[in-house]
Structures are given as C-alpha cells and as structure tokens.
Amino acid sequence: MKANITSIGATGTDTLLQQCARQQWFWPALYGLSVFSLISFAGARLLVDADTFWHIAAGKWMLANLAVPSTDPFSFSFHGAKWVPHEWLAEVILAASHAWLGWAGPVLVTALATAITLTVLLRFLLRYIEPLHGFSGTLLAFLTLAQHLVARPHAMAWPLMVIWTAQLVMARQQNRRPSLWLLLVMLAWANLHGSFLLGIGLAAALAAEAVLTERQPLQSAKAWTPFLAGTVVAGLLTPHGVDGLLFPFHVSGMSYTLSVIGEWKAPDFRLVQPVELWLGFVLFGALYFGFRLPAMRIVMCFGLVHLALTAARYAELLGLLAPLLLMPSVGPQLRAAIRPEIKLRLSAPLLRIVTALCLALFMVSIILLAKGIEHDHRRIQPREAVSAAMAAGGGGPVFNSYNFGGYLIFSGIPPLIDGRADLYGDDFVRRYMAAYSGDASVLQAMFDRYQIRWAVLEPGSPAAKWLDGLPAWRKVHQDDVAVAYVRAR
C-alpha cells in the first residue's frame, strides 16, 4: 500500500513539473534562481571595486541627512564644488543593504538585480526560440556583463534596461504605442544610473523605425510622440533635472580621464575578450543560417557594437540589448532552420532532479548570505597603513593613490581624489596623474597648494619613491598593500 502511494505521489509530482515546464515562466524562474545562487556563492568577488566604498558612503550621507547633495561633501580638494550624484537612488539602496546585512547586503542586491535581468531576458527570448537556444543566448549575455559584475549602481540599472527595451520591442512588433506604465521604469532608471539616456535613445530609434516602415507614418508619429515626450520628462524628474540629463555628455567629453581609467578603455584584444566571443558566435550564426534583419535594427546593433569596442564597460549593453532587438526577426528563422531532434527535452525524473538542484542551490546561497560576507580585498583598503599614519600623527590633507580614495571616504577621511572623476574633471586628473607618476615639479606644486600632511600610496609608485628622498617626510608603514608617510611637524 505504501509503495503504491509513493508511486502515485512521484507520478503526480512529475506530471505537475512537466506541466510547469511547458509554461514560459518556468525555465526563466529556474534559471533566475540558479544565477542568483551562483553569484551569491562568489559573493566577495563582487566587492573588488574601490568605488563600492564611496557609493555606500554617499548613500549613508543621504540617509543621515535626508537629502541629495548638490556639492561635494567628501573630498578636501573639491569640498563644496558642484557635484551631480546621478546614481543617488542606487547609492541609498546599497547603503541601506549594507546597514542591514553588512557586506552581504550589496552582494544580495547585485545578485538579485543580475538574476532578474537574465530572467527577464530569457523570458523574452523564449517567445521566439527554444529553451536550449534561449539558455545559450543568456549565457552569452552573462559573459559580456561578468567582467563588470561588481556591487555598484550600474548593476541595479540592468533589470530596468532589459524591461524597457523588451517592452519597446514588443510594442513595435504589435504595431502599437508602448504602454505608459513604462514611464515609471524610466523614472526609476533615471534616478539609479546615467545609462537612462540610452533608454531615451532606443525609444527614439524605435519610434523612427515605426514612422519609416509603417504604412501610415503620420499615425505612427502621433502615437509615439506623446510617449517620447513623457520619456524625456521622466528622465528629467531627478534631483538634478537638466544636469542629470547632460551628465553622460559631460563624462564622454573627459577625453584624458577616459583614457587612463581601465573600464573606460577599449578592450584589449591581445587577450580573449567576452565581447569577442559574443561577436564571433553571433556572426557565425548569422552567416551560417543566413538571417535577414530589418535595416534599422542592424543600425542600432552597429551602434551597440561601436560602444562595446570603444570602452570595455559597454560590452554588457551589446550582450543584453542586441538579443532583444534582433530576436523578433531571428527567432522564426532560427526555429525553421533548427532540426527538432536537437531541441531541449527532459524526462520527468531528470526534470525533477534539475528542479531540486536549483532549489537546493538557492537555499544554500540564502544561508551563506545570512551568515555574512567578509570584505577581504586588501588591495583597495589600506587599513594598516591608514591606522599607522593616524597613530604617528597623520591627519589633515592627504596625498592618496586613486584606488584608495573610496576607502578613505568610507572611513570618514577626506581624500585628495577618488573614483568620482566627473567631479574632479580632466585638468585635475591630468595633474594628479602627472604627480603620481613622479613629476617632481607637479608633485611639489600639489603638495604646496593643498598643504599635504601625510600620504598613503601603493608600494613602488613613483610618488612614493619621491617621498623617500625627502628628509622632512618619514615612512611609518609599508606592506604589500600600501606605504604610509607622515610629514614632520
């Protein structure tokens, strides 16, 4: 009797799972749980970026003051200068999560945002292609964003970026105006990250496509114009207004700064790059299957390719957005070209195992996050050096390495410079880099102007060697992370 009940129970569970697997939400949900779990397991890896420190510090300042700053409250070199914290909402979220869960908080937020992003992407792709090919597409997308997968505001903008683009593409496919609720997505996006300007550009491009390709262009223009106007208005509804809208243009005009900051440099193709793998896979598929694509979508994807080749940080835009733009055309052609026997088919027992494994991974990841995560990346947090300098009488204006600025802000110490290059501007960054590179005249001028009293630098840096030769300065600490100097009183 017991054996029969067990058999019936297992059969019933298998039937239910098979019914769920035929629903378009099942595979994306299972995939999202897996992505969340795997990223959570890599928790501390998401904390390798020095900018995470000052983002959290900025969010804590806003929570404490219940305001968004319009001038710099952190550095001593630009204290009181105009500052546009265009990622203010994301910084508040990071700060609140850190206050609640410690370093597990920012990891949780980033893992959740990434999982939602890829879940929405897969859900969209499954409208047009088989699960096996949908998984392949999302895996390629993950590769393009993996190198920029850190606990910073841009990761929180990814879900909104994908939702926005997917809804616009579906509106075009159905020959209708996008739903007005999307304006709320733009409103949130504009307050989370400066990439919202890309969303406005995509809406304008798809509106132009509607006008140029529909049989009644005037009606298409009338349908899309109010939505475009609402999109711009939503983009302006931030604490910064027009300054927030112009911010991306301000950053793109900082030619020198963009040339020296790693994530803004073009990909180095002497090493295998994720964007190279993505382009190779897509080009192979396009040439092998002979896909035909709408002209405007090709132009839009060329724009994304240009961005990805201009700066390494833009690779994720290509990986996330190009599938959304192309799949309505590629999907039917791919379905027709692929043989049925290579489509994904799982037996009931295997489906049960996969589901149980994904749920188990998710539960383990939650337990790990609840236990807490240690921030053990010493290269960006010179704790011992700063403590030694303070104990030796350090204090006041400091000359610091660029990558140490975030930690100093997080520790309540005003830095000379930090990751907010948009605040400091091209001229100051150029002078700082000349000084840090050992230009004695620029170093002396900067020390005199800002009355530098102590320094915390990366070991072996030219600026540190310059300080070694000055009798008025003494070295108070050195390890593999940082070297600290204090000026004699």
Side-chain angles (χ1 to χ4, degrees):
M1 187 66 177
K2 291 182 179 179
N4 291 336
I5 293 175
T6 302
S7 176
I8 294 172
T11 303
T13 301
D14 290 342
T15 302
L16 179 60
L17 280 175
Q18 288 175 315
Q19 291 175 349
C20 290
R22 289 192 287 270
Q23 304 299 317
Q24 289 190 334
W25 58 263
F26 178 80
W27 290 114
L30 214 58
Y31 187 75
L33 288 178
S34 303
V35 169
F36 176 88
S37 304
L38 294 175
I39 295 176
S40 298
F41 292 151
R45 169 62 181 80
L46 275 61
L47 304 173
V48 299
D49 197 295
D51 286 353
T52 301
F53 284 117
W54 71 257
H55 281 303
I56 293 175
K60 289 185 175 180
W61 187 98
M62 294 179 219
L63 290 172
N65 293 274
L66 298 180
V68 177
S70 58
T71 59
D72 173 37
F74 297 122
S75 76
F76 69 85
S77 54
F78 275 68
H79 186 80
K82 181 180 178 180
W83 178 41
V84 181
H86 62 290
E87 301 161 324
W88 74 272
L89 181 57
E91 288 163 349
V92 167
I93 294 172
L94 286 173
S97 67
H98 182 268
W100 179 37
L101 294 172
W103 287 112
V107 170
L108 170 65
V109 169
T110 306
L112 184 61
T114 307
I116 293 173
T117 299
L118 296 177
T119 297
V120 174
L121 177 61
L122 180 58
R123 175 68 177 81
F124 178 88
L125 297 182
L126 291 183
R127 292 174 176 270
Y128 307 98
I129 55 179
E130 296 294 327
L132 181 62
H133 310 122
F135 290 141
S136 301
T138 49
L139 176 60
L140 283 173
F142 180 78
L143 288 177
T144 63
L145 59 84
Q147 62 183 355
H148 205 201
L149 183 55
V150 289
R152 281 175 47 188
H154 65 270
M156 279 177 270
W158 288 340
L160 302 181
M161 182 187 302
V162 171
I163 291 170
W164 174 265
T165 307
Q167 291 297 318
L168 291 182
V169 169
M170 285 192 290
R172 275 291 303 119
Q173 186 185 12
Q174 298 166 10
N175 295 324
R176 59 174 175 81
R177 183 198 66 190
S179 300
L180 293 180
W181 69 264
L182 270 182
L183 299 180
L184 296 176
V185 175
M186 175 53 65
L187 178 63
W189 189 358
N191 286 278
L192 282 170
H193 192 255
S195 58
F196 76 95
L197 190 63
L198 176 64
I200 296 177
L202 287 171
L206 290 169
E209 180 186 71
V211 171
L212 293 173
T213 59
E214 295 297 326
R215 294 181 179 179
Q216 298 177 316
L218 186 58
Q219 289 187 4
S220 296
K222 289 181 178 180
W224 279 79
T225 298
F227 178 79
L228 290 177
T231 297
V232 175
V233 171
L236 290 170
L237 293 179
T238 72
H240 326 295
V242 175
D243 286 337
L245 194 63
L246 297 178
F247 179 84
F249 297 104
H250 166 64
V251 173
S252 64
M254 299 172 59
S255 56
Y256 174 78
T257 301
L258 300 185
S259 70
V260 297
I261 297 178
E263 66 186 78
W264 288 102
K265 293 180 180 179
D268 183 1
F269 287 104
R270 290 174 296 181
L271 302 173
V272 177
Q273 298 291 328
V275 68
E276 183 179 9
L277 297 176
W278 192 95
L279 287 171
F281 185 88
V282 171
L283 285 174
F284 176 85
L287 295 173
Y288 182 82
F289 293 110
F291 297 138
R292 294 182 60 85
L293 303 171
M296 183 61 75
R297 302 297 172 92
I298 296 175
V299 171
M300 295 169 70
C301 286
F302 276 160
L304 294 173
V305 170
H306 171 74
L307 289 175
L309 297 180
T310 300
R313 65 175 293 160
Y314 288 143
E316 65 215 39
L317 303 181
L318 179 64
L320 292 175
L321 301 183
L324 298 172
L325 294 171
L326 298 180
M327 199 50 62
S329 298
V330 171
Q333 299 176 62
L334 186 61
R335 281 183 182 271
I338 296 296
R339 294 175 300 178
E341 58 267 24
I342 68 172
K343 296 179 181 179
L344 180 63
R345 294 289 185 269
L346 294 182
S347 63
L350 184 56
L351 183 60
R352 189 169 61 214
I353 292 172
V354 170
T355 304
L357 179 60
C358 291
L359 293 174
L361 287 173
F362 176 72
M363 294 305 299
V364 172
S365 69
I366 293 297
I367 294 172
L368 290 176
L369 289 173
K371 290 179 63 177
I373 292 176
E374 292 292 328
H375 194 319
D376 57 359
H377 297 286
R378 297 176 62 244
R379 291 290 178 185
I380 56 175
Q381 45 182 338
R383 290 195 189 101
E384 292 81 4
V386 172
S387 297
M390 294 296 102
V398 58
F399 187 84
N400 61 277
S401 291
Y402 183 87
N403 286 332
F404 293 162
Y407 174 76
L408 292 177
I409 291 177
F410 186 79
S411 302
I413 301 172
L416 172 72
I417 192 171
D418 56 81
R420 298 171 299 158
D422 54 282
L423 166 68
Y424 298 101
D426 249 5
D427 291 340
F428 182 84
V429 173
R430 184 183 289 106
R431 284 191 291 117
Y432 168 81
M433 288 298 180
Y436 195 77
S437 299
D439 189 318
S441 61
V442 180
L443 263 167
Q444 189 63 61
M446 187 166 282
F447 271 53
D448 291 342
R449 176 176 179 179
Y450 295 107
Q451 296 296 299
I452 302 297
R453 304 301 306 173
W454 65 290
V456 56
L457 305 168
E458 294 169 346
S461 62
K465 294 178 180 178
W466 179 76
L467 282 172
D468 283 332
L470 298 181
W473 288 80
R474 61 190 178 98
K475 184 186 298 183
V476 297
H477 179 85
Q478 181 170 2
D479 56 26
D480 61 330
V481 176
V483 55
Y485 299 86
V486 174
R487 186 173 185 173
R489 298 293 182 180

